[in-house]
Every structure is written in structure tokens, then in C-alpha cells.
Amino acid sequence: NAGVTQTPKFRILKIGQSMTLQCTQDMNHNYMYWYRQDPGMGLKLIYYSVGAGITDKGEVPNGYNVSRSTTEDFPLRLELAAPSQTSVYFCASSSKDRSNTEAFFGQGTRLTVV
Amino acid sequence: QKEVEQDPGPLSVPEGAIVSLNCTYSNSAFQYFMWYRQYSRKGPELLMYTYSSGNKEDGRFTAQVDKSSKYISLFIRDSQPSDSATYLCAMKERDSSYKLIFGSGTRLLVRP
């Protein structure tokens, strides 16, 4: 059982470049999330989705876009990378059948923008 | 003021010690309280969750919620070096809510 899989694990981007962080889950969860984690700052919600075709902004959505065409996949797009987007990005999923109390996280993507 | 406050540590204890990790919060609407453990360079994983006030025990771990003081705790008995990790508290308001609010995490080091 793979759970939540994120790719790539590491990436260095130049300012202004674009990239897509991939996330897929095999638990048939309704909810999926993208968080960023900065040192000493906890996890901040970027975007979330309650099901295929439905997405909404979290606390820090600026500079990012998402799509949810299937239950399994929830990619995060950075269009014009900026140094402020240097962070560790986590994708997570949860099931409303368990009150969304348990979020399953991927291993993270370490992104550096130079 | 942050909604959830957590001392970043690091907290260093000898093996076998009782560890107390804490969070305070300002939003009285929070009803679900969770503790996640995050090993270095890994994603967080759920340790325990508690609904409303009271205690919950799972092996060496006990979660406590005091809603009147807006204070939650995680106790680890007989701490082991394998408990060395960052512990994040998280909270949410309602059963149907998607939105988890995380503390910044406390780094724990258990010395052999």
C-alpha cells in the first residue's frame, strides 16, 4: 500500500522557472491538500480539494495553482518561481468517513529557488 | 497572535524520562485535537487524536485536553531514542471541517 506519493523529492529551480509537483494517493480519499513547511513555522495550507473537479484556496495560495481531474491525483503548479517559494512541500489526503482527523502525508518535496 | 502556539525546543531528555509536550490555542471553537510525529526528512504521521476535553491513552503516549485553559499536552512515558522527532499539534473546529491548524512543532531529542 503506497499511500501518498510525491515526486520529485528534491528540485532546484531558477527564479522565473515553472514546475509541477506531483501527488497521487491510492486510498480513495475524498480530501487532498498541499502544505508548505518553513523552518520553525509549522505547516501552512496552500490549496485543498474535496473531490475531483473541486479545489479551493488555503491560507497561502499566491503563486500556486492546482487541479484535481481524478480522485487519485492532485498536482501543484508553480508558474513563476520566486525565492520566497523555497520550502518543503507536503501533499496529504484524508477521508471524510473518519471526520478528516487523520491526514496521511507524503514524503515531501524539497524545493530551492535560486 | 498565532492561533496555535508551540514551543520549538529543542527538548533534550535522557532515555527513560517522562516527556511533556504542550500547545496553547486561542480559538475556542476547536473541538478536535491531534498530535503528529515527524521524523527528519519525512512527512508527519498521526499519533493520536482527541475529541473535546479529557484524556486519551495509547501505550506510552497520553494526550490531554483542557478546553477551559485552551491547553493541550502530550505525555511520553519511558521515552526511547526512537521517540526523537518533531511533534506537531494540530486542531480543527468541526467534524466536517477540512482545515487543520498546525503548531510550529517541538523538536525532541532522547539521549541514550
Side-chain angles (χ1 to χ4, degrees), chain B residues 31-100:
Chain B
Q31 296 188 63
Y32 290 84
F33 304 91
M34 287 140 276
W35 286 96
Y36 282 81
R37 178 175 61 196
Q38 185 177 21
Y39 291 114
S40 181
R41 296 186 176 264
K42 300 286 186 186
E45 55 179 347
L46 182 70
L47 262 181
M48 303 178 69
Y49 84 89
T50 310
Y51 172 70
S52 195
S53 281
N55 293 359
K56 187 172 185 177
E57 191 172 317
D58 184 0
R60 295 185 295 111
F61 298 88
T62 299
Q64 230 172 49
V65 174
D66 181 351
K67 290 186 76 178
S68 61
S69 303
K70 297 192 180 70
Y71 189 87
I72 71 169
S73 301
L74 177 71
F75 298 97
I76 307 174
R77 290 185 299 281
D78 187 25
S79 56
Q80 302 295 309
S82 57
D83 295 326
S84 298
T86 296
Y87 291 80
L88 301 113
C89 62
M91 307 175 189
K92 68 175 190 138
E93 292 184 7
R94 300 177 307 278
D95 179 77
S96 58
S97 176
Y98 68 91
K99 191 177 177 184
L100 288 179

Side-chain angles (χ1 to χ4, degrees), chain A:
Chain A
N1 190 349
V4 178
T5 303
Q6 287 182 239
T7 55
K9 288 189 169 54
F10 305 93
R11 184 73 185 268
I12 297 175
L13 273 185
K14 293 186 177 175
I15 294 171
Q17 285 186 322
S18 301
M19 76 166 294
T20 298
L21 283 67
Q22 301 291 346
C23 175
T24 188
Q25 53 96 4
D26 62 0
M27 297 172 282
N28 201 32
H29 283 170
N30 318 93
Y31 282 71
M32 294 188 74
Y33 316 82
W34 274 105
Y35 290 91
R36 59 177 288 171
Q37 186 175 37
D38 300 315
M41 298 297 289
L43 289 153
K44 299 289 187 187
L45 183 64
I46 304 171
Y47 270 94
Y48 71 100
S49 168
V50 303
I54 306 169
T55 63
D56 209 345
K57 297 177 181 177
E59 302 169 77
V60 290
N62 291 344
Y64 308 95
N65 274 302
V66 294
S67 60
R68 183 108 181 258
S69 57
T70 66
T71 300
E72 295 78 20
D73 300 307
F74 191 42
L76 177 72
R77 178 87 179 154
L78 282 71
E79 289 294 349
L80 291 168
S84 60
Q85 293 177 304
T86 293
S87 189
V88 181
Y89 291 84
F90 288 101
C91 179
S93 71
S94 65
S95 170
K96 66 178 182 180
D97 296 331
R98 294 197 56 191
S99 302
N100 285 320
T101 49
E102 181 166 16
F104 292 83
F105 284 82
Q107 298 272 51
T109 296
R110 290 184 173 272
L111 175 67
T112 303
V113 181
V114 296

Side-chain angles (χ1 to χ4, degrees), chain B residues 3-29:
Chain B
E3 273 191 288
V4 180
E5 300 272 7
Q6 190 174 5
D7 189 327
L11 179 62
S12 181
V13 300
E15 184 175 352
I18 296 174
V19 175
S20 173
L21 302 165
N22 311 294
C23 288
T24 59
Y25 62 95
S26 57
N27 184 353
S28 56

